[in-house]
Amino acid sequence: MKKPTSAAGAKRPAKARRKTREELNQEARDRKRDKKHRGHAAGSRASGSGASSSSAKTKQQKDSRIGSKTPIQLGVTDTPVTKQHKPKSEKPMLSPQAELDMLENDERLDALLERLEEGEALTAEEQSWVDAKLDRIDELMQKLGLSYDDEDDEEEEKQEDMMRLLKGGN
C-alpha cells in the first residue's frame, strides 16, 4: 500500500503556484507600459540633444541661430578687404649680432661639434641640423663683416713667412 504523503511533502519544497490568466495579462500590460516610455522625448531633435543639454545648461548656453561675426561686404566695392596677417612665429626678430651670439652659445650645437671632433658619427637628422646652424652662422658673420679668427692667424703667419724669405733670414 501507499505511504502517507504528508510526511514526505513536508521535506520537499512546495510546487510553485501557477499564475492565472489575469495575472499574466496584467504583467504583460505593465511590461508594455514600461517599454512604451523608452526613447527620446517628443521634439528632442529640434530642441537639441537631451543627454548633453544638462551639461550645456550649466555652461553658458550658445544660441545656435546666431552665426559668424565676421563682416561681409554687401554690394560691389572697389577696395578689397584687407586682412591682418599674423606673424608666422611668436619669436621677435633678433638682430644679426644677437642671433649670432645665441648660436655661438648654443649648448646642443657645442655638444654635437665636440662629438664630431672626437670622431663619432652623427645621425642624418643631427648632421643636417648642425649643417644648417653652421650655414646660418656663416651668413650672419658675412652680414656683420666678421671673419674667423683662425683664418686671420693663418694669413698673418703666411705674411711673416714671406717676409722672412724675402729678407733672407734664418
Side-chain angles (χ1 to χ4, degrees):
M1 289 222 322
K2 291 185 177 181
K3 294 184 181 180
T5 58
S6 63
K11 293 180 182 177
R12 278 189 268 158
K15 283 187 175 180
R17 185 179 69 87
R18 290 188 101 167
K19 295 182 181 180
T20 63
R21 175 55 48 196
E22 289 177 18
E23 290 172 342
L24 292 172
N25 289 344
Q26 185 61 39
E27 287 177 4
R29 281 189 216 106
D30 292 340
R31 281 195 309 271
K32 185 176 181 181
R33 188 180 309 117
D34 292 339
K35 191 173 184 180
K36 186 176 182 181
H37 294 293
R38 289 184 187 169
H40 300 291
S44 63
R45 277 179 41 183
S47 63
S49 60
S52 64
S53 65
S54 61
S55 64
K57 288 180 182 177
T58 57
K59 298 177 182 175
Q60 187 175 359
Q61 193 162 1
K62 182 181 177 185
D63 192 353
S64 61
R65 296 173 294 177
I66 298 175
S68 174
K69 300 289 185 185
T70 56
I72 299 173
Q73 290 184 355
L74 300 176
V76 180
T77 59
D78 293 336
T79 59
V81 176
T82 58
K83 294 182 179 179
Q84 294 180 351
H85 295 286
K86 294 182 180 177
K88 291 184 180 179
S89 64
E90 297 290 328
K91 295 186 267 183
M93 293 297 291
L94 297 174
S95 67
Q97 182 63 42
E99 189 176 356
L100 182 62
D101 292 339
M102 185 182 70
L103 287 173
E104 287 177 348
N105 296 329
D106 191 5
E107 294 176 6
R108 180 180 175 199
L109 182 61
D110 291 339
L112 291 174
L113 289 175
E114 286 178 16
R115 284 177 52 192
L116 278 175
E117 288 176 4
E118 292 173 1
E120 289 184 39
L122 298 179
T123 64
E125 181 181 330
E126 290 173 339
Q127 186 65 43
S128 64
W129 186 83
V130 168
D131 292 340
K133 293 299 177 185
L134 291 177
D135 291 342
R136 183 63 184 156
I137 288 174
D138 288 339
E139 290 174 17
L140 292 172
M141 290 183 79
Q142 287 176 358
K143 280 184 183 178
L144 295 173
L146 301 175
S147 62
Y148 294 112
D149 294 334
D150 297 339
E151 292 176 2
D152 291 339
D153 294 339
E154 291 175 7
E155 290 176 9
E156 290 175 6
E157 289 176 10
K158 288 180 184 177
Q159 289 177 354
E160 290 175 5
D161 290 340
M162 293 293 286
M163 294 299 286
R164 286 184 195 158
L165 289 173
L166 290 174
K167 290 182 182 178
N170 306 20

